[in-house]
Amino acid sequence: MAQDVNPAPENGRYEKGLEALTRSLRTAFVLLLAAIAITLVYFVTGGGYFSVDPQQAVIVLRFGRAVDCHSTGAHWYIPYPVHSFVRVYTGQQYLTVDLRTLETGEDKAPRSLTPGRDEYLITGDANIVHASWHIGYRVSNPVKYYLSLSTPPRPVDNNRIQDDVEETDGDGVKGTRGPVKMLRSMFRGALLEVTSSERVDSVLSSGQGAYSERVRTAFSRRVDAADCGLEITSVTLNRVYPPGATKSAFDEVTAASNTRDTLRNEAHAYGIGVKNETLSRKAEILAEAKTYRSRTVALLKSESEYFDSIRAEYEKNPKTVLTSLYTDALGEALEGADGGGFVLGTSRKGRKEVRIRLNQEAPKREKTTEAEK
């Protein structure tokens, strides 16, 4: 009878344990269903959804391999670990490259420059210059840019552009490696190539525009040959100047060049003024000559017509015409005669003649007094 009484408590404990296990499994199952539901919601909604911000591109990686690239709109892909997304900034970016002395300013440069410490350029005629450049560039192919260059895993992080990767070499020297450093190195190479073939006066004064354009062309050619998804948009020469120790000599040369240009411009302006004055005088003389020619031709034509009319009358009645002409000539002579209005002359037979002009009118006065009236 004692053996039948003892198992009851043990069976009760087993039942309670089983109930607790059941409750635990049920809770775990509910939690598992909730996790599955949450995972499904994540996969279907926010996990693979993204929108492309302005001036950015999103590269889609499937198991680490680039399969797509978007520059606008909203998109959805199966999220991580199947797909991952990389944002790349595609807007305009700028880079400044200065080649100057690092110890002092440009006007107080040391007498001697130290390679490795001071930065400078050597022209084709063995002169030293310093320069400051401003470079504009942008990402034209985001996939090539991200896969071919040592960019950070997240080129755009919290709307901040991360261009270079910091690293330490075997000697413990820290530095950077990435697109910015690559562009600086390529630009310096193009700059050294072009400057070494230029004369210092072309670089400092007369040919800065052509010099800057040749540097831009050489730099763009190097970037295009690298095929790294970058495009050079502008290369601007901010300033170029000689070392401080030789600045006064270059200033004298520049002043002389400016004086030469000023005198040359004044001479050119004077030449233009003289030329314009000559052309004006030429036009004036030609106009006077044309007027004189027209007046002379008209006068001769009138005299010719008068002579033709006299000749026609002379052919009809010579004596009458000669008498009339003689009388007209004598009247003109008497009108011009001074004194008493008489002319002394000799006839054809040698006799003296006196011709007196009668009935002459007294000359009129412009003003008369009351007494004279």
Side-chain angles (χ1 to χ4, degrees):
M1 295 296 294
Q3 293 180 354
D4 294 335
V5 175
N6 293 331
E10 295 180 357
N11 292 335
R13 288 196 299 269
Y14 292 151
E15 291 178 358
K16 292 180 179 179
L18 184 59
E19 291 177 0
L21 178 60
T22 302
R23 287 194 301 269
S24 300
L25 292 176
R26 186 181 295 114
T27 302
F29 180 74
V30 171
L31 293 176
L32 181 60
L33 287 178
I36 293 174
I38 293 173
T39 303
L40 289 176
V41 171
Y42 170 76
F43 267 66
V44 173
T45 58
Y49 172 82
F50 65 87
S51 61
V52 183
D53 296 334
Q55 297 185 341
Q56 287 189 9
V58 177
I59 303 173
V60 181
L61 303 177
R62 181 181 299 160
F63 299 113
R65 181 178 181 180
V67 295
D68 212 343
C69 181
H70 300 281
S71 58
T72 57
H75 308 273
W76 184 88
Y77 286 84
I78 298 175
Y80 185 84
V82 179
H83 292 97
S84 59
F85 313 106
V86 178
R87 293 183 179 271
V88 176
Y89 183 76
T90 58
Q92 187 72 22
Q93 301 184 58
Y94 297 98
L95 175 66
T96 300
V97 178
D98 290 325
L99 290 93
R100 57 185 177 84
T101 57
L102 300 180
E103 185 175 276
T104 58
E106 62 187 61
D107 297 330
K108 299 179 181 180
R111 286 287 177 178
S112 61
L113 301 176
T114 304
R117 182 195 65 182
D118 302 311
E119 297 179 331
Y120 50 85
L121 297 169
I122 299 179
T123 62
D125 51 1
N127 283 281
I128 295 176
V129 294
H130 303 286
S132 175
W133 296 81
H134 193 65
I135 303 169
Y137 67 97
R138 68 180 187 89
V139 177
S140 58
N141 191 322
V143 177
K144 284 186 178 180
Y145 170 78
Y146 180 71
L147 297 180
S148 61
L149 298 180
S150 178
T151 60
R154 300 172 62 89
V156 178
D157 188 11
N158 296 326
N159 294 326
R160 183 175 63 87
I161 303 172
Q162 296 182 353
D163 292 316
D164 284 355
V165 177
E166 295 185 357
E167 60 180 14
T168 304
D169 60 11
D171 298 330
V173 178
K174 293 183 179 181
T176 59
R177 182 165 59 93
V180 173
K181 188 169 185 178
M182 184 202 70
L183 287 176
R184 287 183 184 274
S185 299
M186 296 178 72
F187 181 75
R188 288 172 182 269
L191 190 58
L192 291 173
E193 174 189 347
V194 175
T195 308
S196 62
S197 62
E198 295 286 337
R199 295 180 57 86
V200 68
D201 55 347
S202 298
V203 175
L204 291 178
S205 57
S206 60
Q208 281 191 9
Y211 167 64
S212 178
E213 180 61 24
R214 282 191 287 271
V215 171
R216 188 197 66 80
T217 302
F219 180 44
S220 299
R221 186 171 58 248
R222 292 187 177 216
V223 174
D224 293 341
D227 194 22
C228 56
L230 291 175
E231 178 186 2
I232 304 302
T233 58
S234 64
V235 175
T236 305
L237 176 60
N238 293 334
R239 189 179 181 192
V240 58
Y241 51 92
T246 60
K247 187 175 183 300
S248 59
F250 278 97
D251 289 342
E252 292 177 1
V253 174
T254 302
S257 178
N258 293 336
T259 302
R260 179 199 60 188
D261 294 339
T262 301
L263 294 176
R264 182 179 295 174
N265 293 335
E266 291 177 354
H268 182 65
Y270 176 76
I272 292 177
V274 171
K275 182 179 179 180
N276 293 337
E277 184 179 354
T278 303
L279 292 177
S280 177
R281 181 57 182 162
K282 173 185 174 182
E284 183 180 352
I285 292 174
L286 289 177
E288 292 177 356
K290 290 180 180 180
T291 303
Y292 175 75
R293 182 185 64 179
S294 301
R295 185 173 62 250
T296 303
V297 170
L299 179 62
L300 292 176
K301 185 177 180 180
S302 175
E303 291 181 355
S304 175
E305 293 176 353
Y306 175 72
F307 178 78
D308 290 340
S309 65
I310 295 297
R311 186 180 65 179
E313 294 295 331
Y314 178 80
E315 290 176 353
K316 294 178 182 178
N317 195 346
K319 291 184 179 182
T320 302
V321 172
L322 290 176
T323 302
S324 177
L325 293 175
Y326 177 74
T327 302
D328 292 340
L330 186 60
E332 292 178 0
L334 290 175
E335 288 181 359
D338 298 330
F342 61 89
V343 176
L344 298 177
T346 304
S347 65
R348 294 180 179 179
K349 296 181 180 181
R351 294 179 298 182
K352 300 293 183 180
E353 295 181 352
V354 177
R355 296 182 179 271
I356 303 174
R357 185 178 180 183
L358 302 177
N359 300 326
Q360 299 186 42
E361 296 182 0
K364 297 181 179 180
R365 296 182 179 181
E366 295 181 358
K367 296 182 179 180
T368 56
T369 64
E370 292 296 331
E372 289 176 343
K373 288 181 180 181

